[in-house]
Amino acid sequence: MKPEPLTLPPSPNWYCARCSDAAPGGIFGFAARTSVFLVRVGPSAGANPGAPPFRVVGELVGHTERVSGFTFSHHPGQYNLCATSSDDGTVKIWDVETKAVVTEHSFHQHTISALHWSPTVKDLIVSGDEKGVVFCYWLNRNDSQHFFPEPRTIFCLTCSPHHEDLVAIGYKDGIVVIIDISKKGEVIHRLRGHDDEIHSIAWCPLSGEDCLPVNQEENSEEPDIPNGKLVAETPITKGCYLATGSKDQTIRIWSCSRGRGIMVLKLPFLKRRGGGVDPAVKERLWLTLHWPNNQPTQLVSSCFGGELLLWDLTQSWRRKYTLFSTSAEGQNHSRIIFNLCPLKTEDDKQLLLSTSMDRDVKCWDMATLECCWTLPSLGGFAYSLAFSPVDVGCLAIGVGDGMIRVWNTLSIKNNYEVKSFWQGVKSKVTALCWHPNKEGCLAFGTDDGKVGLYDTCSNKPPQISSTYHKKTVYRLAWGPPVPPMSLGGEGDRPSLTLYSCGGEGIVLQHNPWKLSGEAFNINKLVRDTNSIRYKLPVHTEISWKGDGKVMALGNEDGSIEIFQVPNLKLLCTIQQHHKLVNAVVWHHEHGSRPELSCLIASGSNNAVIYVHNLRTVLESNPESPVTITEPFRTLSGHTAKVTSLAWSPHHDGRLVSACYDGTAQVWDALREEPLFNFRGHRGRLLCVAWSPVDPECIYSGADDFCVCRWLTSMQDHSRPPQGKKCIELEKKRLSQPKPKLKKKKKPTLRLPGKQDSSIVTEDESSRETSGPVENGVSDQDGEEEAQEPELPSPVVSGEAVSCIAVSLGVEKSKVTVNSKATSLKKEPPKEKPEALLKKRKARSMLPLSTSLDHRSKEELHRDCLVLATATHAKELNEDVSADLEERFHLGLFTDRATLYRMMETEGKGHLESGHPELFHQLMLWKGDLKGVLQAAAERGELTDSLVAVAPVAGYSVWLWAVEAFAKQLCFQDQYVKAASYLLSIHKVYEAVELLKSNHFYREAIAVAKARLRPEDPVLKDLYLSWGSILEKDGHYAIAAKCYLGATSAYDAAKVLARKGDAASLRTAAELASIAGESELAASLALRCAQELLLVKNWVGAQEALGLHESLQGQRLVFCLLELLCRHLEEKQPPEVRSPSSVYHQWATGSEGDLMQRVTGVWRNTFSVDTPEQCRAALKKLQDVKYPSATSNTPFRQLLLHVCHDLTLAILSQQTASWEEAVPALLQAVLRSYTSGNFTLMQEIYSAFLPSGCDYLRDKLGDLSLTTAAFKSLEAFFIYGQLYEVWWSLCGPGPESSIWVKSTVPAEQREPEDSASAEDTEPVAAAAQPQSSPPSGPGLRLSGESERLLSACRKLFSERHANLQASQRTVAEVQETLAEMIRQHQKSQLCKATANGPSRDDPGQEAEQAPSRPQSPSREESNAPVSLPELTRRLTEANKKIAEFPESIKAWPFPDVLECCLVLLHIGSQCPGAVNPEMQQQAEELLQKYGHTRAYRRYCQTLHMNFQRP
């Protein structure tokens, strides 16, 4: 098998009692999210010499939700079996060798919280859920039983290693029970002592109770009464110790024979260097235990801050313990530890593995208590990867868990040498960028808009920029300073500044020397330099060219803008993508071809990658910006949005892309070919980086919490998945956990007591609760936190109270329901009929006073006496005052002060009973309206009626009440109503801002339009803000209306064009034309016409172009294209013609040749008949440049480019500019030739040069002898005719009678199937006939053919043959060098994997064999060529090429040796047809220049034919 890619795995799951385990022999597994990662530990891991002996070897994939439990089988012969439990309700049994599921069950109806494989019964797996149900599953007989020992939440369980029927269970409320599964789950012991969650249970490795000294005082306690009854000791209960760890910070040792605790260990508070204990540490304790084998007097436990303690149980009263790793600082975990599991390696080393909240897996040597190695992991999406240009091999990883990892990928001692940086981050790290020159200087950007600088060489906290982005930071880049930061002397400003692009669409320039200062928005400089008056596009990407002179900005509308320093002058705009641009990268400048440094690759939300060559634009430095609409190369194959791109620093034109389709793809960008496809991730890829030292090594990160290191040569696939493969990959990705809110508990009986708590402090971990915000769009799938803070479950009081039984198939007698508890739950009152509700009496305003007036007669008489005393006494004594205070209801009959006290008491009663409106009425009765309003505002109980009466208290009180009510309505999400109240007090701007901030743009615009001046800037800002949001959501038409409302017609036209369909583009073009944006209108009209070409709507395309006079030249091109397509279609059989084409009336005529029809239509339809009009159209078309064609260029695109060149040629002929006509015509021929479309090339000659090149020679006059372009054109004409002659010899028919004549009678000829060239794919120019019939007397060439063969002398150019031979030598040497490098890399890889665990595999040789077929050069050459010899050949060939004049090298020429071979074949088929002198010349050229690999075999065959007698 091929080696697994080196993986930085996800973090182990948190808050699980057993989610990691190890099997004897060296295999360790831990649950991470929805899968289990397997790690090989020990000598068999196949690690590099000197490196820690461990390696991630695979993953168990199958669960759809979080894995909550994992356990190995520890029975000899089945160490390869393990079991997992998950929140999806299943328990799966796996074979780790095949990584496949053996069987599974889904018996549990509730969330599974505990799992264990019995150490004594080889096929027993025990599991428990949070409702208290325990299931026992016997694997071999596929049988199961369930028990319900306690109606409590199970936190952990452990099977006894000494007795096969005993299982210890720990519960959330601190209870521990031991059950006997052979007696239907009967509770043997109920152990009370802990008062909080039980995190871990460990049995003593030795049976019996003689191994620990037990205190006499503890022995003299009350007799053992398990289950409340005094029972005799049984063989089952005798002789075993049990240890439990709890959240109450204690470890308890229990005696199973006595059923009580014998020892209590209190965790110590350990002070760390640099400070005391965090008070929040106690609240997030997780206490896990491990009782080492054959060491019953020692116990390992975790502690508060990630420390490990080795307790000495022989001196428990002294609380004696030993700390792990006391000699090395920083080797301990930094957060709480969740799991401990022992492992015995093949060389008998006793190890202990631990998983922690700090996201590290550590391995400890139990002999020395020191840390052996650490496996780091990721707790979030891998958003960004960046290699340091100074410290080569240091890879920075931006992760969604709020930490930055720096991975030393070149470390020999440790493959996972990773440092973590978290100070000052506190959010998802979405962007990273190393300083190009300064070592250890790392810039980072976060999800909350923060930009900072880390010095990775020190422990200092990062510097944070004082200017934040409003949204996620997409990209960071170092570049030269631009104004205003570039102003000043050299010593006053940095040589490089930091640029950041954020989700709100702006790019900020930060001064790294003074991050506390304000960062500058470069949009202002762009506006001022380029005099831009329209709305700038939303920026989503930034990339600086390697020389620092040019900057590229990718935008949300799919455009890419190229700016030039120092003032950011706009050079050109690339209008290629139609969706948001995610990645823009420049080609490196250190390759063998410097011109490639002008290549720029880009990827967007559509799946196509475009490569543009900006060399012409950068060298010409145009005065006005240029718009580029044609790519240099197009890379198609992905099926989802492209998120990241990276050029290979080791190759020319090699690119790797990361995509949401779950794969990374390596491309040969120059050839438009996919090379390698990596499918090792289980999620969508977010970033990719090419190793700076290994040409085959690539690193990729994804939303599966993994970073993978993989080799290109080890991939089985060459292109992204399509069809069924894509569906399978999507299923694999969907097996990841779905983002969802926490499951809410169904309403159940809640008992009074401690409330359920699942609170984790914020600094515990950056919670991954939202999706990765990429370029302004939040992922719908989202990023889910890998760890749950706690198992959410109801808390049961420690008293003797039981919950109502849930329907679980358990006998009712096992559950006791406390009547007192059930009485607490009152039934809701039954609804009364509506008629009865209407007769219901209104609630009394003074209910307390009324009730006091209905007491006994004695009390009422006493009231009268107190009232009489109070009213007739001149001065109240203390007794009377006390009586009045006690009998407050008498205030109704005494003075006002007493009345106020009565109202105050009544009001409190109303508030306590939940009737604040009655309290407000009482306060109104008192006349304290202002107090009523203040009290209601403080309690959030203002109402419309209260605000309505507020003016009674005064104007200022009314203003204050309205504002307070508006705030209250905002808290209640009633924003429109709140705005209406603000308008009532004439706060128009505040109301508009309130509606805008809560996305009520339509209402905000209505208010602003009605209440503000038309020229108020707030109104324009509303239109622009709403338009931006609508544009992001894809509502382009409404967004265009907003931009028009803001008088920004330019932006309206651009947003309408974003949809990309013909109708939208035409409307956008017309809109831009109305607004006077002629340049934009012309660009959109041309795009519209090109879209209509795809459906062959020629009439619609011409109508779109006719909207703008500046596109007159393009109308001529489209006219010629339509006529040419019609001409080609007429040559096809009727049954294969396309019926969907919509041609013009003038395109259906067939009189005259194609050239005459074209000029006639131009003259009659487009009124182009004078030389001045032709010259004007020629000038406009000459400014349009198209890239050269390749074999992968689509046929429709090729036809458009060819017709553009032919239009230039015809216009040049019309203006008598024959020197320009020849290159244009030659360019059209060359496009057909280089694309391999021989048929099209011949059609061009037959349509535009029907009588050959003599006509042009006459027009050029004496210049024809010196014009290299004409010679090339004539040579290709003869080249095509030469092939026509040769092919006519292979199958003479009616079409070939001009070339060959047959002397055989017609009735003796065999019938042949004929098909036009249009019925088949384009034929390559160098294609040979499939079979050559033997020559004979029945075939002879016509006179026309013989005249053509005599003209072939012009093809036998010695100078061109010499030049082409030198060029072939250079290509052959480069190919040989590439093959040598590939073989060397392969041999190095084989050496690296030779020491792996599969080196004894008999299939190893077959796997290491080259996947490519043996090249012909290896078969032909026995001795390899040395590197100096190849260098010498390359130097000599380049020197020869340099000596040729530019006129020879400027224009291509047909392959001379190819023409020689074709001529010799014709001579062999028709003896005597070829002039002997020409035949001799062809043979000499082959002998002289046919030494390269391409022609060597032909020359050897020819030489053998010459040697025959």
Side-chain angles (χ1 to χ4, degrees), residues 1 64 75 112 260 280 342 371 381 485 498 653-654 785 867 877 916 941 991 1007 1027 1051 1126 1136 1153 1308 1371:
M1 294 176 61
T64 58
H75 298 277
I112 304 172
R260 63 180 180 82
C371 181
F381 293 1
M485 204 170 289
L498 179 62
R654 188 164 292 189
E785 174 56 37
L867 181 59
N877 54 30
E941 296 169 352
V1007 170
D1051 297 318
R1126 178 68 177 175
V1136 298
D1153 59 13
Q1308 297 181 14

Side-chain angles (χ1 to χ4, degrees), residues 27-82:
I27 189 74
F28 166 68
F30 62 88
R33 306 184 75 217
T34 63
S35 58
V36 175
F37 281 78
L38 302 174
V39 182
R40 176 70 65 182
V41 182
S44 61
N48 294 332
F54 73 97
R55 180 167 58 92
V56 179
V57 295
E59 184 181 5
L60 303 181
V61 180
H63 287 293
T64 58
E65 293 187 34
R66 184 192 68 136
V67 176
S68 58
F70 174 72
T71 175
F72 268 105
S73 168
H74 291 260
H75 298 277
Q78 58 180 39
Y79 292 154
N80 59 316
L81 296 182
C82 63

Side-chain angles (χ1 to χ4, degrees), residues 1249-1446:
L1249 292 176
S1251 58
C1253 299
D1254 297 336
Y1255 175 74
L1256 287 178
R1257 183 184 293 105
D1258 296 339
K1259 293 294 183 180
L1260 290 170
D1262 296 336
L1263 294 176
S1264 62
L1265 301 176
T1266 58
T1267 303
F1270 177 77
K1271 290 182 179 181
S1272 178
L1273 180 65
E1274 185 180 24
F1276 276 104
F1277 175 77
I1278 300 173
Y1279 170 81
Q1281 301 296 327
L1282 180 63
Y1283 263 99
E1284 290 284 356
V1285 174
W1286 182 30
W1287 288 342
S1288 65
L1289 293 174
C1290 302
E1295 296 293 335
S1296 58
S1297 60
I1298 186 174
W1299 304 114
V1300 63
K1301 294 182 179 179
S1302 176
T1303 58
V1304 181
E1307 59 271 8
Q1308 297 181 14
R1309 299 178 187 168
E1310 295 182 2
E1312 296 185 3
D1313 295 334
S1314 61
S1316 62
E1318 286 77 5
D1319 295 340
T1320 59
E1321 294 294 330
V1323 183
Q1328 299 179 6
Q1330 295 182 1
S1331 61
S1332 297
S1335 60
L1339 294 177
R1340 66 180 179 86
L1341 295 179
S1342 64
E1344 183 70 22
S1345 299
E1346 293 177 353
R1347 284 192 298 274
L1348 172 68
L1349 293 180
S1350 63
C1352 288
R1353 293 181 183 276
K1354 296 179 181 180
L1355 295 177
F1356 299 159
S1357 171
E1358 179 96 17
R1359 302 176 71 185
H1360 285 95
N1362 193 2
L1363 174 63
Q1364 292 168 359
S1366 302
Q1367 291 172 343
R1368 281 192 292 269
T1369 301
V1370 171
E1372 182 178 331
V1373 171
Q1374 291 176 344
E1375 183 180 352
T1376 306
L1377 286 172
E1379 181 67 19
M1380 292 173 63
I1381 293 173
R1382 193 181 71 83
Q1383 292 298 328
H1384 175 70
Q1385 292 173 353
K1386 200 144 207 174
S1387 63
Q1388 293 296 324
L1389 181 63
C1390 293
K1391 290 180 182 179
T1393 58
N1395 297 325
S1398 60
R1399 59 177 178 266
D1400 297 329
D1401 191 348
Q1404 185 83 8
E1405 296 180 3
E1407 293 170 2
Q1408 295 178 357
S1411 59
R1412 300 180 180 177
Q1414 196 78 2
S1415 62
S1417 61
R1418 296 183 183 175
E1419 299 173 359
E1420 297 168 5
S1421 58
N1422 296 327
V1425 185
S1426 64
L1427 185 61
E1429 175 63 19
L1430 290 174
T1431 307
R1432 183 189 64 79
R1433 293 182 188 177
L1434 187 62
T1435 305
E1436 291 179 356
N1438 286 327
K1439 186 176 181 181
K1440 282 184 181 181
I1441 294 174
E1443 293 173 355
F1444 286 95
E1446 289 298 326

